[in-house]
Amino acid sequence: MLMEAASAASSVFLYPQPAIFRRLHSLGGNRSAKTLLRRVPHLSRLSSTARAADSTQHAPPVAASSSKTVVPDNDFSLAKVSFGVIGLAVGGTLLSYGFGAYFTILPGSEWSALMLTYGFPLAIIGMALQYAELKPVPCITYSDAETLRETCATPILKQVRSDVIRYRYGDEQHLDEALKRIFQYGQGGGIPRRSAPILQMIREEVTEDGKYCLVLVFEAKLLQLSDFEKRQAKFTSFFGPGITAEIGTGENPDLYEVRLISEMSTQSS
């Protein structure tokens, strides 16, 4: 029937136009939709296009290129432990048990004085350490960079990495001394202390020409890219010798990257 043919033709594409229906009415008869499509060339082309689009829509996505392998940081080290938390936990435990034993709520009343004597200063030291504590920054290490670190990273780059991924006490921020000399806080040509960049994370990677690179990612909401670029030579001299500093922007507008590229190679080492 004509209506069946029209229905079959409309299933090929979502919104059939009136001109196509007039063409189908002019053909008439009990021809099947397949016969009508052969008689109307542009309907065949539309049918092929629709099938191609449908197959493209349901085709599985192309697999993305495999990204670099990130090395998980599972090694235990005392540098990754907060001494403030340990001191507060041990001191608080001794104080709690000491008071409980002193008032005979807990056993060991003969040891209560000793536990109170040591528990109180340990708790105070723990709280002080927590107040002055500077937490480590995240470190992303790629497998190829980890292989090159021991042979190609300079001693200063190794020291920088070691300093920023552990707890520190008494410092206002990571790399505080380095940033103070490079940006010259409060001096002529320098920046105000309140505008100082803050280290957010570090990344170990390998450059396109196979060199070890330590990337320092800073957040600096009050600075511009030019403030970093005109101090590129100072970054090179401070973290040198044997490195080249490159400046770039991060993923967010307020993030800036300082790439410290080691000039050492496996051959020279």
Side-chain angles (χ1 to χ4, degrees), residues 74-142:
N74 298 326
D75 297 334
F76 174 79
S77 173
L78 285 177
K80 301 175 184 178
V81 178
S82 171
F83 291 105
V85 173
I86 294 176
L88 188 57
V90 175
T93 302
L94 290 177
L95 277 178
S96 301
Y97 198 95
F99 277 115
Y102 180 79
F103 291 105
T104 66
I105 301 174
L106 297 172
S109 58
E110 64 275 10
W111 300 99
S112 61
L114 185 63
M115 287 187 285
L116 291 173
T117 301
Y118 287 100
F120 183 75
L122 281 175
I124 295 297
I125 292 174
M127 287 188 289
L129 288 175
Q130 276 199 312
Y131 178 78
E133 186 177 82
L134 184 62
K135 292 179 173 58
V137 299
C139 175
I140 298 177
T141 302
Y142 295 108

Side-chain angles (χ1 to χ4, degrees), residues 8 34 47 130 148 161 165 250:
K34 184 177 180 180
S47 176
Q130 276 199 312
L148 290 180
R161 176 187 177 276
I165 64 173

Side-chain angles (χ1 to χ4, degrees), residues 148-163 212 214:
L148 290 180
R149 184 197 303 151
E150 292 301 323
T151 56
C152 297
T154 65
I156 293 180
L157 293 184
K158 293 179 183 178
Q159 185 64 39
V160 169
R161 176 187 177 276
S162 176
D163 286 344
Y212 174 85
L214 182 66

Side-chain angles (χ1 to χ4, degrees), residues 47-67:
S47 176
S48 302
T49 304
R51 286 194 300 269
D54 185 69
S55 62
T56 303
Q57 180 180 359
H58 296 285
V62 179
S65 58
S66 58
S67 58

Side-chain angles (χ1 to χ4, degrees), residues 70 78 83 87 92 97-98 107 113 159 193 196 230 244 252:
V70 177
L78 285 177
F83 291 105
Y97 198 95
Q159 185 64 39
R193 178 81 189 200
K230 64 184 180 182
T244 300
N252 299 329

Side-chain angles (χ1 to χ4, degrees), residues 235-248:
F235 276 104
T236 301
S237 62
F238 187 89
F239 293 103
I243 68 104
T244 300
E246 295 181 356
I247 308 298

